[in-house]
Each structure stands twice: as structure tokens, then as C-alpha cells.
Amino acid sequence: MSKPIEIGATRNAITSQFQKKYEPQRTIPAAKGKNIQLRKGEIVQGKILKIYSQKEAEVRLPIGDLKAEFSGRLKPGDVLFFKVDSISPSLILKIYAVSQIIAGKELENKEILRILDLPDEDIFLQILQRFKSKSAVISKINLINIYNNFKAIAAKSYENISFSDLLKILFFFDDYSIELNSPAFDKLKGSVLGAKFLSLQIEKLIDFLKTLPKIKAIENLFNFFLKLESFSVSQKILFFHSGLEGANFYNLLSELLHKGALQASDESALRNIVEPLLNAIEGQTILNLYATLNYTPFFFLIPYRDRQKKWKYFQLILKKRKSKKRAKDSLFDYQISLNSEFSDILDIEDEDFDDLLSSNAFSNYAELKQALNETLKELKSLFSQGNFLPNRADFLQKEDFKLSFKSDSAAKAGSSISVVV
């Protein structure tokens, strides 16, 4: 039995399966009298030699030159991957994928869409462009899945999000095989979009609260930020988290939303600001709970004071890494990404902490450098002690919410997970 085909290689690292088994090659036609067959479901690379009609062509395959039925807009000279749909009574091939580079030449985006028999529309061009930075081989089904997921999400869920950011969220769900639905999208989008998005939401909240009557729920929230600087590093790491007791940010937001006695117009405006933040905190909690069992990332939005003594935030995204080169007893085997206002992504490894903190990237951000240094040290300590995150999410008991992994996630995660919390 053939091993599963891996399509998700990086641009310059096509998998050995493709290299050895499916790379373009001239093959000798099948010899007469020999029973050489393909298997239904097999992925093969082929070159279109001749077009007989809109549904029939001669194709050069690894076993020889054969006549096959297909559906698409292919031309002589096209090289692509086919999936064998039927071998009897006739050979039927389905368009499966195409390499970005054929014979040393990079295909234009519109040519890729033509070969994959997908519409030459802006939305597919943008989805394709993002896939090109992730994989050397572009799969038709992957493009269609992202498009279908986009269509499945209610427009209200992304009305204030750029299409680029929307694709970032859709690709996150696809990368980690998380089933996409509107409730899951609403809860997880904040963590996926990162510190810039969440910082703006918090800033919008504080500015709006300053315009409202000073009711107790609002005063409690302002007092929380006054005391935030004296919090321990561990408390700051869990600042943007639910499941904690006491006057934490999540509980204070909930109190503000449900116990604040405001005029109807103010209450409606406040709800539009607070609910996305509550969803984002709940989403981060959910992702971190799943990350303890899975190879999805951990997310932490962490506050720090800048030189003007204003609260700023940076996001740490930690990924457990499988690596045979690293010691089995390594207690902190994570890839860390820093997402802050001065950089979208900085990827570092734990042995690179000191190098990162001494780099020029932080020359104008001494306060962030100090906060990051304290956070990394504390995270090392916390992770070495095992799972320090709350083992439940109480808010999930109050609503019908499901977050499930697709059936193929077991291979990625090392475990089969389909959970209703």
C-alpha cells in the first residue's frame, strides 16, 4: 500500500515521496503483453501529450503513454498530478495537484488555476497566493476547502476584518484540522489575528468606558489596570485567560456586560466591544486546553508598560516541536513566535532566547525586552512543572459549543481527538 501523499511541504522542500515517485520523467510505453495496472485512488504525475476531445487525452504516466478520460481545461504540455478515479472499462483521471515550478519555470497563478480547473476569480487568486508561500505543490482540494470554508462563515463574523486577515484565520483552521463553524470562528479569530487586533479592542474598550458614568463595574475594571503592574509574572502571563478565580480581566468584563446599569444605547455599544473580547479570551483558553493534548499552538497575550507608562501587549505563540535531534528529557521543547506592534512574527527557539534579547530588534523597546525576558524565564519554569493551565473552562458549561478536529488530525496530533467540552 502506498504511503499517504504529503502535500504540505515548504516551497523548497518537496517531500521525498514526490521527488522519488512522482517527479517528471520520460517513461517507456508499457510493453505489450504485460499486465501493468494503476490502482484506484493512486496519485500519479502525468504530462498531457495530445488532446483528442474535451474529455479525452493521451497522457504520459510513470507506466507509459495511455489514453485517459478527464474533465478540465488542460492543454498539451501540461504537467500535473492526477488521482486515478477508475481503471475499467476506461482509465479516468481526476485533476489533483500541480507543482509551482515545472522544468525550472514558475507557473503563473492563472495558469495554475486553469490546470486545476478552478475559476479565474480574485478570491481563488488570493487563496492560491497564500498557499504558494506554504507549499511547493498546490492541491486542488486544499484550495476548494479554503473557499468552501469562507462561504460557510456568516458575513457578520468578518465584517470588520480584512480579507488578508480572514484568510489567515481560515488557514489556521485548515493547518490544524479544526472543523470550521461560525461559533468556533468567532471564538478563535482573536487569538489567530494576534496582538495588534486584540490591543486595539482593549484600547477601544478603555476609551469608551471613559465616556460612561462611573458605575461600580467600570470602576472595578479601572482599578484592575491600576493594580496590574504589581501582578506577578505568572499572573501577567494568564492576564488574557478565563477559568481563574477572583477579579481577573475576564470576570470583570463579564460583570461589566451583565451587571452594568447603563442606558440602552450605551449598553448596546458596550456589548459590541466587550463580546469580541470575551470570545477572544474564551478562544485562547480553548486553544491552550487543546494544546496540552495536541500539537496545536499555545497562545498568551501579555501586558507590559511602555516608556510612556501606557499598557501595551505582546503575544507569544508556543508550539511543541517533534525533534529527534533534541534530548528526550528536554522540558521546554517549543518554537516561540513573538507578535507585537513592531514585528508581525519573530520565530525563535529556546536556546536562542539570549541571542534574540541582545539583538537590534529591541534597541528601541527596552520595556518590551524586559517584559519578554521575564516572561520567557517564567514560562520555562511553569512548563517544567507540567500543565499549569486550568484544566477546565467553566464558560463552556453555559453554552452549546463544540470544537472538533477533523478525522485526519490524528496523524498530525499523535492522538485522535474529537471533543465536546
Side-chain angles (χ1 to χ4, degrees), residues 165-260:
D165 282 343
L166 174 58
L167 284 183
K168 182 178 179 180
I169 302 168
L170 295 177
F171 271 79
F172 175 85
F173 276 83
D174 187 68
D175 287 344
Y176 294 101
S177 297
I178 301 174
E179 291 184 1
L180 183 65
N181 53 60
S182 288
F185 181 93
D186 287 339
K187 287 208 187 299
L188 305 191
K189 66 182 179 185
S191 290
V192 177
L193 292 181
K196 292 180 181 178
F197 175 82
L198 297 172
S199 298
L200 286 174
Q201 283 295 116
I202 296 173
E203 185 178 332
K204 187 187 300 184
L205 170 68
I206 299 301
D207 288 343
F208 182 67
L209 292 182
K210 291 177 180 178
T211 69
L212 298 178
K214 296 301 184 286
I215 60 175
K216 184 177 180 180
I218 293 177
E219 289 181 349
N220 289 341
L221 194 60
F222 282 130
N223 288 334
F224 169 80
F225 278 97
L226 287 175
K227 297 176 183 178
L228 185 56
E229 192 164 13
S230 64
F231 282 15
S232 68
V233 178
S234 296
Q235 287 175 304
K236 289 178 180 176
I237 289 173
L238 296 178
F239 152 78
F240 205 71
H241 203 84
S242 71
L244 302 174
E245 297 180 358
N248 60 72
F249 189 48
Y250 178 80
N251 290 342
L252 291 171
L253 286 177
S254 299
E255 179 183 279
L256 184 64
L257 195 61
H258 298 111
K259 296 183 180 179

Side-chain angles (χ1 to χ4, degrees), residues 9 20 51 54 82 182 185 187 189 209 218 226 267 294 313-314 342 382:
K20 295 178 181 178
I51 300 290
Q54 291 183 337
F82 292 100
S182 288
F185 181 93
K187 287 208 187 299
K189 66 182 179 185
L209 292 182
I218 293 177
L226 287 175
E267 186 175 338
N294 199 269
Y313 308 86
F314 65 93
F342 75 93
L382 291 171

